[in-house]
Amino acid sequence: TATDASGNVGTATRTVTVNPDTTAPVITVTSGTDAVAQGATWTDAGATADGGETVTVSGTVDTNTVGIYTITYTATDPAGNVGTATRTVTVRALAIDDSHKGGIIFYLNGSGGGLVAAPDDEATTLSWRAAVAACSGKSIDIYDDWRLPSKDELTRLYINRSKIGGFANSYYWSSKESGNYDAWQQLFFIDAYQISIDPKSGSNRVRAVRAF
């Protein structure tokens, strides 16, 4: 509005449009573990919104079932704009040399089960009876059903020895007896040679196993 010396009043108008806030929050997915072996533990690393909004999470990951899972993160700002982001988590089938159920997998039976070996040999060489006792009394994590491997299991362990690791170039005890005084053992270098005339009183290397 303007008024001249004679009292005449002039007016003009400006129209100002206030655009509504239509920008949704930007969600950043925190880097984490997005591929796990079946049966392993998965922890969501989460996500954050650029405006500090609360981020809600939907979706689950069943680590006991092989598949691809989607986790969705959502945040809503004060204007009602909704932002989303997703995380894809892959649960893969178990494989030889996976850490699992207290040990390292050296055999899979094709039906979801198999055998794991303790990560290391027992600290010293042992007589057969001491080896049986050491394995049956072993506890790793929550698992206390360890045992000396059977003759055939020892062969499977030998086949995958390089993937499991920690084996000595020596003989290892099996649980298989060949009489009152002898038990089977297997050579862990050169070949898979097994013998059944080693006295139980002798000392050999020991690696505990368990089934899952």
Side-chain angles (χ1 to χ4, degrees), residues 22-58:
T22 58
T23 302
V26 175
I27 298 177
T28 300
V29 177
T30 304
S31 179
T33 302
D34 294 336
V36 295
Q38 184 179 13
T41 299
W42 177 78
T43 301
D44 187 358
T48 57
D50 61 343
E53 295 88 358
T54 299
V55 177
T56 59
V57 184
S58 62

PDB file of all heavy atoms in Angstrom, residues 22-58:
ATOM      1  N   THR A  22       7.888 -32.275   1.602  1.00  0.00           N
ATOM      2  CA  THR A  22       7.608 -33.567   0.968  1.00  0.00           C
ATOM      3  C   THR A  22       8.853 -34.459   0.908  1.00  0.00           C
ATOM      4  O   THR A  22       8.857 -35.485   0.223  1.00  0.00           O
ATOM      5  CB  THR A  22       7.080 -33.360  -0.459  1.00  0.00           C
ATOM      6  OG1 THR A  22       8.058 -32.625  -1.217  1.00  0.00           O
ATOM      7  CG2 THR A  22       5.758 -32.610  -0.440  1.00  0.00           C
ATOM      8  N   THR A  23       9.895 -34.064   1.626  1.00  0.00           N
ATOM      9  CA  THR A  23      11.138 -34.828   1.587  1.00  0.00           C
ATOM     10  C   THR A  23      11.142 -35.886   2.682  1.00  0.00           C
ATOM     11  O   THR A  23      11.070 -35.566   3.872  1.00  0.00           O
ATOM     12  CB  THR A  23      12.351 -33.909   1.763  1.00  0.00           C
ATOM     13  OG1 THR A  23      12.346 -32.910   0.725  1.00  0.00           O
ATOM     14  CG2 THR A  23      13.652 -34.714   1.679  1.00  0.00           C
ATOM     15  N   ALA A  24      11.222 -37.125   2.285  1.00  0.00           N
ATOM     16  CA  ALA A  24      11.219 -38.227   3.252  1.00  0.00           C
ATOM     17  C   ALA A  24      12.589 -38.357   3.913  1.00  0.00           C
ATOM     18  O   ALA A  24      13.617 -37.986   3.342  1.00  0.00           O
ATOM     19  CB  ALA A  24      10.857 -39.533   2.554  1.00  0.00           C
ATOM     20  N   PRO A  25      12.631 -38.887   5.123  1.00  0.00           N
ATOM     21  CA  PRO A  25      13.923 -39.135   5.776  1.00  0.00           C
ATOM     22  C   PRO A  25      14.782 -40.093   4.940  1.00  0.00           C
ATOM     23  O   PRO A  25      14.265 -41.016   4.311  1.00  0.00           O
ATOM     24  CB  PRO A  25      13.522 -39.783   7.108  1.00  0.00           C
ATOM     25  CG  PRO A  25      12.110 -39.366   7.336  1.00  0.00           C
ATOM     26  CD  PRO A  25      11.492 -39.275   5.985  1.00  0.00           C
ATOM     27  N   VAL A  26      16.070 -39.844   4.955  1.00  0.00           N
ATOM     28  CA  VAL A  26      17.008 -40.733   4.282  1.00  0.00           C
ATOM     29  C   VAL A  26      17.562 -41.709   5.317  1.00  0.00           C
ATOM     30  O   VAL A  26      18.121 -41.295   6.340  1.00  0.00           O
ATOM     31  CB  VAL A  26      18.162 -39.950   3.622  1.00  0.00           C
ATOM     32  CG1 VAL A  26      19.184 -40.912   3.026  1.00  0.00           C
ATOM     33  CG2 VAL A  26      17.611 -39.011   2.553  1.00  0.00           C
ATOM     34  N   ILE A  27      17.391 -42.991   5.055  1.00  0.00           N
ATOM     35  CA  ILE A  27      17.830 -44.019   5.998  1.00  0.00           C
ATOM     36  C   ILE A  27      19.121 -44.648   5.488  1.00  0.00           C
ATOM     37  O   ILE A  27      19.211 -45.071   4.331  1.00  0.00           O
ATOM     38  CB  ILE A  27      16.749 -45.095   6.186  1.00  0.00           C
ATOM     39  CG1 ILE A  27      15.476 -44.463   6.777  1.00  0.00           C
ATOM     40  CG2 ILE A  27      17.253 -46.226   7.079  1.00  0.00           C
ATOM     41  CD1 ILE A  27      14.329 -45.434   6.926  1.00  0.00           C
ATOM     42  N   THR A  28      20.110 -44.723   6.371  1.00  0.00           N
ATOM     43  CA  THR A  28      21.383 -45.366   6.046  1.00  0.00           C
ATOM     44  C   THR A  28      21.470 -46.697   6.781  1.00  0.00           C
ATOM     45  O   THR A  28      21.360 -46.743   8.013  1.00  0.00           O
ATOM     46  CB  THR A  28      22.568 -44.477   6.461  1.00  0.00           C
ATOM     47  OG1 THR A  28      22.478 -43.230   5.760  1.00  0.00           O
ATOM     48  CG2 THR A  28      23.895 -45.149   6.124  1.00  0.00           C
ATOM     49  N   VAL A  29      21.630 -47.751   6.012  1.00  0.00           N
ATOM     50  CA  VAL A  29      21.741 -49.090   6.589  1.00  0.00           C
ATOM     51  C   VAL A  29      23.175 -49.292   7.087  1.00  0.00           C
ATOM     52  O   VAL A  29      24.134 -49.144   6.328  1.00  0.00           O
ATOM     53  CB  VAL A  29      21.373 -50.170   5.562  1.00  0.00           C
ATOM     54  CG1 VAL A  29      21.560 -51.570   6.154  1.00  0.00           C
ATOM     55  CG2 VAL A  29      19.938 -49.982   5.084  1.00  0.00           C
ATOM     56  N   THR A  30      23.320 -49.617   8.361  1.00  0.00           N
ATOM     57  CA  THR A  30      24.640 -49.817   8.951  1.00  0.00           C
ATOM     58  C   THR A  30      25.268 -51.104   8.416  1.00  0.00           C
ATOM     59  O   THR A  30      24.605 -52.140   8.321  1.00  0.00           O
ATOM     60  CB  THR A  30      24.531 -49.906  10.483  1.00  0.00           C
ATOM     61  OG1 THR A  30      23.892 -48.725  10.965  1.00  0.00           O
ATOM     62  CG2 THR A  30      25.907 -50.023  11.122  1.00  0.00           C
ATOM     63  N   SER A  31      26.538 -51.013   8.039  1.00  0.00           N
ATOM     64  CA  SER A  31      27.234 -52.187   7.520  1.00  0.00           C
ATOM     65  C   SER A  31      27.248 -53.310   8.553  1.00  0.00           C
ATOM     66  O   SER A  31      27.499 -53.077   9.739  1.00  0.00           O
ATOM     67  CB  SER A  31      28.669 -51.808   7.146  1.00  0.00           C
ATOM     68  OG  SER A  31      29.382 -52.926   6.671  1.00  0.00           O
ATOM     69  N   GLY A  32      26.955 -54.511   8.108  1.00  0.00           N
ATOM     70  CA  GLY A  32      26.918 -55.656   9.020  1.00  0.00           C
ATOM     71  C   GLY A  32      27.127 -56.951   8.274  1.00  0.00           C
ATOM     72  O   GLY A  32      27.482 -56.952   7.090  1.00  0.00           O
ATOM     73  N   THR A  33      26.916 -58.068   8.949  1.00  0.00           N
ATOM     74  CA  THR A  33      27.042 -59.384   8.336  1.00  0.00           C
ATOM     75  C   THR A  33      25.738 -59.745   7.643  1.00  0.00           C
ATOM     76  O   THR A  33      24.712 -59.911   8.297  1.00  0.00           O
ATOM     77  CB  THR A  33      27.383 -60.443   9.398  1.00  0.00           C
ATOM     78  OG1 THR A  33      28.599 -60.064  10.049  1.00  0.00           O
ATOM     79  CG2 THR A  33      27.537 -61.815   8.764  1.00  0.00           C
ATOM     80  N   ASP A  34      25.781 -59.848   6.325  1.00  0.00           N
ATOM     81  CA  ASP A  34      24.557 -60.103   5.568  1.00  0.00           C
ATOM     82  C   ASP A  34      24.551 -61.467   4.880  1.00  0.00           C
ATOM     83  O   ASP A  34      23.686 -61.746   4.059  1.00  0.00           O
ATOM     84  CB  ASP A  34      24.351 -58.994   4.531  1.00  0.00           C
ATOM     85  CG  ASP A  34      24.093 -57.648   5.194  1.00  0.00           C
ATOM     86  OD1 ASP A  34      23.632 -57.640   6.346  1.00  0.00           O
ATOM     87  OD2 ASP A  34      24.356 -56.611   4.560  1.00  0.00           O
ATOM     88  N   ALA A  35      25.520 -62.310   5.227  1.00  0.00           N
ATOM     89  CA  ALA A  35      25.551 -63.689   4.724  1.00  0.00           C
ATOM     90  C   ALA A  35      26.048 -64.576   5.854  1.00  0.00           C
ATOM     91  O   ALA A  35      27.132 -64.360   6.391  1.00  0.00           O
ATOM     92  CB  ALA A  35      26.458 -63.810   3.511  1.00  0.00           C
ATOM     93  N   VAL A  36      25.232 -65.553   6.240  1.00  0.00           N
ATOM     94  CA  VAL A  36      25.586 -66.440   7.352  1.00  0.00           C
ATOM     95  C   VAL A  36      25.310 -67.886   6.968  1.00  0.00           C
ATOM     96  O   VAL A  36      24.488 -68.171   6.093  1.00  0.00           O
ATOM     97  CB  VAL A  36      24.795 -66.094   8.636  1.00  0.00           C
ATOM     98  CG1 VAL A  36      25.164 -64.713   9.147  1.00  0.00           C
ATOM     99  CG2 VAL A  36      23.289 -66.192   8.390  1.00  0.00           C
ATOM    100  N   ALA A  37      26.016 -68.791   7.620  1.00  0.00           N
ATOM    101  CA  ALA A  37      25.790 -70.219   7.408  1.00  0.00           C
ATOM    102  C   ALA A  37      24.555 -70.664   8.187  1.00  0.00           C
ATOM    103  O   ALA A  37      24.219 -70.089   9.230  1.00  0.00           O
ATOM    104  CB  ALA A  37      27.006 -71.022   7.852  1.00  0.00           C
ATOM    105  N   GLN A  38      23.888 -71.659   7.687  1.00  0.00           N
ATOM    106  CA  GLN A  38      22.706 -72.217   8.340  1.00  0.00           C
ATOM    107  C   GLN A  38      23.046 -72.624   9.773  1.00  0.00           C
ATOM    108  O   GLN A  38      24.052 -73.269  10.038  1.00  0.00           O
ATOM    109  CB  GLN A  38      22.216 -73.427   7.556  1.00  0.00           C
ATOM    110  CG  GLN A  38      20.937 -74.044   8.064  1.00  0.00           C
ATOM    111  CD  GLN A  38      20.510 -75.228   7.226  1.00  0.00           C
ATOM    112  OE1 GLN A  38      21.281 -75.737   6.412  1.00  0.00           O
ATOM    113  NE2 GLN A  38      19.282 -75.685   7.407  1.00  0.00           N
ATOM    114  N   GLY A  39      22.187 -72.189  10.705  1.00  0.00           N
ATOM    115  CA  GLY A  39      22.386 -72.525  12.104  1.00  0.00           C
ATOM    116  C   GLY A  39      23.251 -71.545  12.869  1.00  0.00           C
ATOM    117  O   GLY A  39      23.352 -71.632  14.092  1.00  0.00           O
ATOM    118  N   ALA A  40      23.870 -70.599  12.163  1.00  0.00           N
ATOM    119  CA  ALA A  40      24.708 -69.607  12.834  1.00  0.00           C
ATOM    120  C   ALA A  40      23.842 -68.528  13.469  1.00  0.00           C
ATOM    121  O   ALA A  40      22.629 -68.450  13.247  1.00  0.00           O
ATOM    122  CB  ALA A  40      25.689 -68.990  11.845  1.00  0.00           C
ATOM    123  N   THR A  41      24.469 -67.678  14.259  1.00  0.00           N
ATOM    124  CA  THR A  41      23.758 -66.562  14.881  1.00  0.00           C
ATOM    125  C   THR A  41      23.892 -65.319  14.008  1.00  0.00           C
ATOM    126  O   THR A  41      24.993 -64.992  13.552  1.00  0.00           O
ATOM    127  CB  THR A  41      24.335 -66.265  16.276  1.00  0.00           C
ATOM    128  OG1 THR A  41      24.172 -67.425  17.096  1.00  0.00           O
ATOM    129  CG2 THR A  41      23.627 -65.091  16.923  1.00  0.00           C
ATOM    130  N   TRP A  42      22.785 -64.641  13.760  1.00  0.00           N
ATOM    131  CA  TRP A  42      22.811 -63.395  12.994  1.00  0.00           C
ATOM    132  C   TRP A  42      22.311 -62.262  13.868  1.00  0.00           C
ATOM    133  O   TRP A  42      21.289 -62.386  14.536  1.00  0.00           O
ATOM    134  CB  TRP A  42      21.946 -63.491  11.742  1.00  0.00           C
ATOM    135  CG  TRP A  42      21.906 -62.197  10.971  1.00  0.00           C
ATOM    136  CD1 TRP A  42      22.869 -61.703  10.145  1.00  0.00           C
ATOM    137  CD2 TRP A  42      20.856 -61.223  10.974  1.00  0.00           C
ATOM    138  NE1 TRP A  42      22.497 -60.481   9.637  1.00  0.00           N
ATOM    139  CE2 TRP A  42      21.262 -60.171  10.127  1.00  0.00           C
ATOM    140  CE3 TRP A  42      19.616 -61.138  11.614  1.00  0.00           C
ATOM    141  CZ2 TRP A  42      20.456 -59.046   9.901  1.00  0.00           C
ATOM    142  CZ3 TRP A  42      18.831 -60.023  11.386  1.00  0.00           C
ATOM    143  CH2 TRP A  42      19.247 -58.995  10.533  1.00  0.00           C
ATOM    144  N   THR A  43      23.046 -61.147  13.855  1.00  0.00           N
ATOM    145  CA  THR A  43      22.663 -59.964  14.623  1.00  0.00           C
ATOM    146  C   THR A  43      22.458 -58.795  13.671  1.00  0.00           C
ATOM    147  O   THR A  43      23.330 -58.489  12.849  1.00  0.00           O
ATOM    148  CB  THR A  43      23.744 -59.600  15.657  1.00  0.00           C
ATOM    149  OG1 THR A  43      23.934 -60.709  16.543  1.00  0.00           O
ATOM    150  CG2 THR A  43      23.329 -58.387  16.469  1.00  0.00           C
ATOM    151  N   ASP A  44      21.307 -58.128  13.787  1.00  0.00           N
ATOM    152  CA  ASP A  44      20.995 -56.982  12.939  1.00  0.00           C
ATOM    153  C   ASP A  44      21.853 -55.785  13.339  1.00  0.00           C
ATOM    154  O   ASP A  44      21.831 -55.350  14.493  1.00  0.00           O
ATOM    155  CB  ASP A  44      19.513 -56.643  13.081  1.00  0.00           C
ATOM    156  CG  ASP A  44      19.048 -55.577  12.105  1.00  0.00           C
ATOM    157  OD1 ASP A  44      19.884 -55.067  11.329  1.00  0.00           O
ATOM    158  OD2 ASP A  44      17.851 -55.251  12.122  1.00  0.00           O
ATOM    159  N   ALA A  45      22.607 -55.237  12.384  1.00  0.00           N
ATOM    160  CA  ALA A  45      23.451 -54.068  12.660  1.00  0.00           C
ATOM    161  C   ALA A  45      22.650 -52.783  12.699  1.00  0.00           C
ATOM    162  O   ALA A  45      23.152 -51.745  13.135  1.00  0.00           O
ATOM    163  CB  ALA A  45      24.563 -53.975  11.614  1.00  0.00           C
ATOM    164  N   GLY A  46      21.388 -52.813  12.217  1.00  0.00           N
ATOM    165  CA  GLY A  46      20.509 -51.660  12.337  1.00  0.00           C
ATOM    166  C   GLY A  46      20.666 -50.628  11.231  1.00  0.00           C
ATOM    167  O   GLY A  46      21.351 -50.842  10.233  1.00  0.00           O
ATOM    168  N   ALA A  47      20.032 -49.473  11.424  1.00  0.00           N
ATOM    169  CA  ALA A  47      20.043 -48.385  10.452  1.00  0.00           C
ATOM    170  C   ALA A  47      19.762 -47.076  11.181  1.00  0.00           C
ATOM    171  O   ALA A  47      19.236 -47.071  12.301  1.00  0.00           O
ATOM    172  CB  ALA A  47      19.002 -48.629   9.360  1.00  0.00           C
ATOM    173  N   THR A  48      20.084 -45.930  10.543  1.00  0.00           N
ATOM    174  CA  THR A  48      19.853 -44.605  11.127  1.00  0.00           C
ATOM    175  C   THR A  48      19.169 -43.703  10.108  1.00  0.00           C
ATOM    176  O   THR A  48      19.349 -43.863   8.891  1.00  0.00           O
ATOM    177  CB  THR A  48      21.169 -43.955  11.581  1.00  0.00           C
ATOM    178  OG1 THR A  48      22.069 -43.868  10.455  1.00  0.00           O
ATOM    179  CG2 THR A  48      21.827 -44.767  12.690  1.00  0.00           C
ATOM    180  N   ALA A  49      18.383 -42.738  10.598  1.00  0.00           N
ATOM    181  CA  ALA A  49      17.719 -41.750   9.744  1.00  0.00           C
ATOM    182  C   ALA A  49      18.465 -40.430   9.836  1.00  0.00           C
ATOM    183  O   ALA A  49      18.956 -40.045  10.908  1.00  0.00           O
ATOM    184  CB  ALA A  49      16.260 -41.578  10.168  1.00  0.00           C
ATOM    185  N   ASP A  50      18.554 -39.690   8.712  1.00  0.00           N
ATOM    186  CA  ASP A  50      19.359 -38.466   8.668  1.00  0.00           C
ATOM    187  C   ASP A  50      18.819 -37.356   9.559  1.00  0.00           C
ATOM    188  O   ASP A  50      19.564 -36.478   9.987  1.00  0.00           O
ATOM    189  CB  ASP A  50      19.503 -37.970   7.235  1.00  0.00           C
ATOM    190  CG  ASP A  50      18.167 -37.617   6.584  1.00  0.00           C
ATOM    191  OD1 ASP A  50      17.107 -38.046   7.099  1.00  0.00           O
ATOM    192  OD2 ASP A  50      18.179 -36.933   5.545  1.00  0.00           O
ATOM    193  N   GLY A  51      17.529 -37.383   9.869  1.00  0.00           N
ATOM    194  CA  GLY A  51      16.958 -36.352  10.721  1.00  0.00           C
ATOM    195  C   GLY A  51      16.836 -36.785  12.174  1.00  0.00           C
ATOM    196  O   GLY A  51      16.210 -36.089  12.979  1.00  0.00           O
ATOM    197  N   GLY A  52      17.401 -37.917  12.508  1.00  0.00           N
ATOM    198  CA  GLY A  52      17.323 -38.409  13.879  1.00  0.00           C
ATOM    199  C   GLY A  52      16.008 -39.081  14.221  1.00  0.00           C
ATOM    200  O   GLY A  52      15.742 -39.361  15.396  1.00  0.00           O
ATOM    201  N   GLU A  53      15.175 -39.311  13.209  1.00  0.00           N
ATOM    202  CA  GLU A  53      13.886 -39.956  13.467  1.00  0.00           C
ATOM    203  C   GLU A  53      14.091 -41.392  13.963  1.00  0.00           C
ATOM    204  O   GLU A  53      15.108 -42.023  13.681  1.00  0.00           O
ATOM    205  CB  GLU A  53      13.030 -39.987  12.188  1.00  0.00           C
ATOM    206  CG  GLU A  53      12.596 -38.628  11.671  1.00  0.00           C
ATOM    207  CD  GLU A  53      13.612 -38.001  10.740  1.00  0.00           C
ATOM    208  OE1 GLU A  53      14.693 -38.622  10.533  1.00  0.00           O
ATOM    209  OE2 GLU A  53      13.341 -36.905  10.224  1.00  0.00           O
ATOM    210  N   THR A  54      13.103 -41.888  14.686  1.00  0.00           N
ATOM    211  CA  THR A  54      13.147 -43.266  15.157  1.00  0.00           C
ATOM    212  C   THR A  54      12.982 -44.222  13.982  1.00  0.00           C
ATOM    213  O   THR A  54      12.086 -44.047  13.154  1.00  0.00           O
ATOM    214  CB  THR A  54      12.036 -43.527  16.188  1.00  0.00           C
ATOM    215  OG1 THR A  54      12.245 -42.668  17.312  1.00  0.00           O
ATOM    216  CG2 THR A  54      12.051 -44.977  16.651  1.00  0.00           C
ATOM    217  N   VAL A  55      13.845 -45.209  13.918  1.00  0.00           N
ATOM    218  CA  VAL A  55      13.790 -46.196  12.840  1.00  0.00           C
ATOM    219  C   VAL A  55      13.155 -47.477  13.370  1.00  0.00           C
ATOM    220  O   VAL A  55      13.597 -48.032  14.381  1.00  0.00           O
ATOM    221  CB  VAL A  55      15.204 -46.505  12.294  1.00  0.00           C
ATOM    222  CG1 VAL A  55      15.129 -47.595  11.223  1.00  0.00           C
ATOM    223  CG2 VAL A  55      15.836 -45.242  11.727  1.00  0.00           C
ATOM    224  N   THR A  56      12.099 -47.909  12.722  1.00  0.00           N
ATOM    225  CA  THR A  56      11.455 -49.170  13.097  1.00  0.00           C
ATOM    226  C   THR A  56      11.878 -50.260  12.118  1.00  0.00           C
ATOM    227  O   THR A  56      12.226 -49.990  10.965  1.00  0.00           O
ATOM    228  CB  THR A  56       9.926 -49.042  13.097  1.00  0.00           C
ATOM    229  OG1 THR A  56       9.481 -48.647  11.787  1.00  0.00           O
ATOM    230  CG2 THR A  56       9.474 -47.988  14.101  1.00  0.00           C
ATOM    231  N   VAL A  57      11.845 -51.495  12.600  1.00  0.00           N
ATOM    232  CA  VAL A  57      12.340 -52.620  11.816  1.00  0.00           C
ATOM    233  C   VAL A  57      11.234 -53.658  11.641  1.00  0.00           C
ATOM    234  O   VAL A  57      10.513 -53.979  12.590  1.00  0.00           O
ATOM    235  CB  VAL A  57      13.554 -53.279  12.514  1.00  0.00           C
ATOM    236  CG1 VAL A  57      14.122 -54.399  11.647  1.00  0.00           C
ATOM    237  CG2 VAL A  57      14.624 -52.244  12.833  1.00  0.00           C
ATOM    238  N   SER A  58      11.122 -54.200  10.442  1.00  0.00           N
ATOM    239  CA  SER A  58      10.185 -55.300  10.201  1.00  0.00           C
ATOM    240  C   SER A  58      10.890 -56.380   9.391  1.00  0.00           C
ATOM    241  O   SER A  58      11.816 -56.106   8.624  1.00  0.00           O
ATOM    242  CB  SER A  58       8.942 -54.815   9.451  1.00  0.00           C
ATOM    243  OG  SER A  58       9.290 -54.294   8.180  1.00  0.00           O
TER     244      SER A  58
END
